[in-house]
Amino acid sequence: MSWVSFCCLFSMSAWCWLPAGCYSNGKVTKACGNMEPHHGGQGQSGPSPYRLTANASTFSPGDHIQVKLSGTTHFDGFLLQARDAASANSGSTVGTFTLIDSVTTQLLTCNKQPGSAVSHTSDAQQTEVGVIWNAPEHPPDEVQFVVTVVSHYKVFWVKLPGPTVYKQGVTPHPPESTTKPSVHTTTPAPLPGPFVSDGCGQSKSCLLDPPGCDPKEDGGCFFLSMTPLETDKSVIFELSGPAEGYIAFALSWDTWMGNDDVYMCIKDEDRVSVSAAVLSGRTHPDDQTQSGLSSVSWRLADGVIQCRFSRAVRLSNQEPGRYDLDQEYFLFLASGNVQFGKVWKHNRQPLISTHRKLITGRPDVLEGSRGPMLMKTHGAMMMLAWMLTGSVGTFVASFYKPDWPNQSLLGQKVWFQVHRGLMMLTVMLTTVAFFLPFFYRKAWSKHAGVHPYLGCCVLALSLTQPIMAVFRPPPDSHRRCIFNWAHWAVGSLTELMAVAAMFVGMHQSSLLLPSPWATHVLIGYVTWLASFRLLLLAQKHLSIKRSLRSDEQQFILSVQSEPSGWGSVIKSLILAVLALGNSAFLVALLSSVVNV
């Protein structure tokens, strides 16, 4: 499982960020200080659809003030506190709260003060909650209510300022000037329409998989475009793919995952979260952020997820792990599933990768290879082992023992030497192919489904066969029958598992063969094999049936041990046709492996 040029799928293993990212029950006391939910990204910096209100502007010690959180859209969670307005960033809470609805809200203990904060009790969507704040006996002069609101897992606002209430006799501060400096925001906005491949190779560089697909018309089209802007020395990226969960691309110095600059568009219910991260080693992305991204927009429709953003060619030194865009990198494109707010990866290798310089004087349309070279070799060796050498070898042992009775090869019967030679070659091919994915992945593939388990079974059973053969009893032993049945059963089971592994393997993202063409070829191979097996079983049955009609036992033995010359020739032709047909199906699949 490796590659030489371009395509390969890296998947980002599941994560659930600490400390509050997985606390849908609202037990988020670990976030009391900074009030950040730690959901794997930064809070939104744009306007919030939520607001805090209070039914009073002044208070005396022991007073009760009703505080309400409401919004124009629902929210999944929140954390509400009252803080000293003079040191709101210190994290010290003021007073306590009393619940109005204990079903949807709960009290928390912050700064060792019970009831000093309020949060949600579940991830049930709400649009309004209310609580009562109780002023302490010795309050500060000014108290401000602050709240963190989680709209969706990746969409949240941290420490939204609420109203400030003043102790009786304290003069309120004059309102701040409404003229505020412009603040850069990366709050995503919806895209007006789908991306198009028009302009690829002319005004922008594009990566398309499959080649020539149109993201506007084809929901299965993986699309990445890069448009350099000389005016402000930035690059506009457009990313599109099936809305299964996330799509992402990464910049890497080599063809191996790790220490990469990753950019992700993650489906979050009916929204899309756009962020950047650093991939350290072969782990999940660290510290997702929108820092450095601007003009962010997205679209989620028709089974397609699309996002657009721009990024400066050179970032400040405050962005460790992030790469400048005026260098040559391996470019990875990836996709995977998102479930319950977590990104689950199918594989640890990229869906697509290519090596190029992102900022060039001439836009182009990029091409690459989906299948890493080690993965191509793995698939080719397994197909050769079980579509040709192993298949023909089992046929020889099952149907050709009585043939060529007067001929020997290296002191043994011809059928035995042919069978043993083909099966030993099958075992060697299987063993070598089995270890190639480990050389590529450097670990067990946790998200490749049942395929690696089938592969382990095939290897174990393949190695069992020659071990059994070494200890087989003599031909005249009463235990020879047990060996024959066991040898046949293990061989048949191994071949069935190998075929099943091929069916599953052709859908692995690291060596994704064209569908449904490759599946149809493999179905044709299985049908071809079954037809010949039925044909030879029928011939064997008829031969035995003719023998049983004879009253002479000697004739029976002679028929079984010495078939007629013409019968032997016909069976030899059948074996040749079988081998040629298997080779044709094998070449058809190998050609698709080469073109991956």
Side-chain angles (χ1 to χ4, degrees), residues 344-356:
W344 295 91
K345 282 193 63 105
H346 291 61
N347 298 283
R348 285 185 177 272
Q349 74 277 357
L351 168 67
I352 298 174
S353 80
T354 189
H355 187 254
R356 68 165 277 111

Side-chain angles (χ1 to χ4, degrees), residues 220-234:
C221 179
F222 290 93
F223 171 80
L224 172 65
S225 73
M226 298 157 284
T227 307
L229 299 178
E230 294 295 338
T231 54
D232 57 359
K233 297 187 181 302
S234 63

Side-chain angles (χ1 to χ4, degrees), residues 220-550:
C221 179
F222 290 93
F223 171 80
L224 172 65
S225 73
M226 298 157 284
T227 307
L229 299 178
E230 294 295 338
T231 54
D232 57 359
K233 297 187 181 302
S234 63
V235 178
I236 296 177
F237 292 94
E238 294 178 334
L239 188 58
S240 174
E244 298 175 349
Y246 76 87
I247 53 175
F249 72 91
L251 310 179
S252 178
W253 290 109
D254 51 34
T255 58
W256 298 91
M257 278 187 56
N259 303 318
D260 305 326
D261 189 5
V262 183
Y263 298 85
M264 299 168 288
C265 302
I266 304 175
K267 179 182 177 182
D268 184 11
E269 295 186 2
D270 58 347
R271 302 188 180 199
V272 176
S273 172
V274 182
S275 60
V278 176
L279 194 65
S280 300
R282 302 174 71 84
T283 61
H284 60 70
D286 294 329
D287 300 329
Q288 296 180 69
T289 177
Q290 285 191 337
S291 176
L293 309 184
S294 60
S295 303
V296 178
S297 55
W298 55 268
R299 181 175 182 267
L300 188 62
D302 304 322
V304 176
I305 181 174
Q306 297 181 323
C307 61
R308 174 192 288 138
F309 61 90
S310 63
R311 210 215 82 169
V313 174
R314 290 181 174 272
L315 295 175
S316 66
N317 294 330
Q318 298 178 353
E319 302 288 344
R322 307 283 294 280
Y323 298 158
D324 294 334
L325 302 182
D326 53 358
Q327 305 293 323
E328 286 191 358
Y329 299 105
F330 284 92
L331 182 63
F332 299 160
L333 181 61
S335 73
N337 286 341
V338 173
Q339 299 175 353
F340 310 112
K342 300 177 239 180
V343 179
W344 295 91
K345 282 193 63 105
H346 291 61
N347 298 283
R348 285 185 177 272
Q349 74 277 357
L351 168 67
I352 298 174
S353 80
T354 189
H355 187 254
R356 68 165 277 111
K357 188 174 183 178
L358 298 186
I359 309 301
T360 60
R362 182 185 65 185
D364 53 7
V365 179
L366 308 179
E367 297 181 356
S369 171
R370 268 181 176 267
M373 182 56 66
L374 283 178
M375 286 309 301
K376 290 184 177 182
T377 306
H378 165 79
M381 293 181 72
M382 284 297 192
M383 290 177 186
L384 178 60
W386 294 105
M387 292 182 69
L388 187 59
T389 60
S391 176
V392 175
T394 56
F395 262 82
V396 170
S398 298
F399 303 107
Y400 287 85
K401 288 183 180 180
D403 292 86
W404 314 300
N406 300 321
Q407 301 178 25
S408 63
L409 181 63
L410 299 177
Q412 296 283 350
K413 291 183 179 181
V414 173
W415 79 265
F416 178 75
Q417 294 288 46
V418 173
H419 169 72
R420 183 168 63 178
L422 289 174
M423 298 317 295
M424 290 304 295
L425 180 57
T426 301
V427 172
M428 288 188 290
L429 289 171
T430 301
T431 304
V432 174
F434 175 83
F435 288 102
L436 292 181
F438 291 95
F439 288 126
Y440 170 66
R441 293 185 183 275
K442 308 297 184 182
W444 174 263
S445 180
K446 296 181 180 179
H447 306 288
V450 72
H451 180 72
Y453 298 98
L454 287 172
C456 290
C457 292
V458 169
L459 178 65
L461 293 174
S462 299
L463 294 174
T464 301
Q465 286 290 72
I467 295 174
M468 289 174 58
V470 169
F471 296 99
R472 68 185 181 275
D476 57 350
S477 172
H478 68 278
R479 293 180 298 170
R480 183 61 176 243
C481 181
I482 298 176
F483 163 78
N484 289 340
W485 278 105
H487 196 59
W488 171 84
V490 173
S492 299
L493 181 61
T494 307
E495 189 172 12
L496 288 173
M497 285 191 168
V499 172
M502 286 190 288
F503 270 106
V504 177
M506 66 174 55
H507 299 294
Q508 294 295 311
S509 55
S510 56
L511 194 62
L512 189 61
L513 301 186
S515 181
W517 182 85
T519 303
H520 292 164
V521 171
L522 197 52
I523 291 175
Y525 162 75
V526 173
T527 304
W528 168 267
L529 211 62
S531 300
F532 274 81
R533 189 170 289 275
L534 290 174
L535 174 64
L536 290 173
L537 281 173
Q539 184 274 333
K540 187 175 183 179
H541 174 74
L542 290 175
S543 178
I544 295 175
K545 189 175 181 179
R546 285 196 304 267
S547 301
L548 292 174
R549 289 177 182 175
S550 173

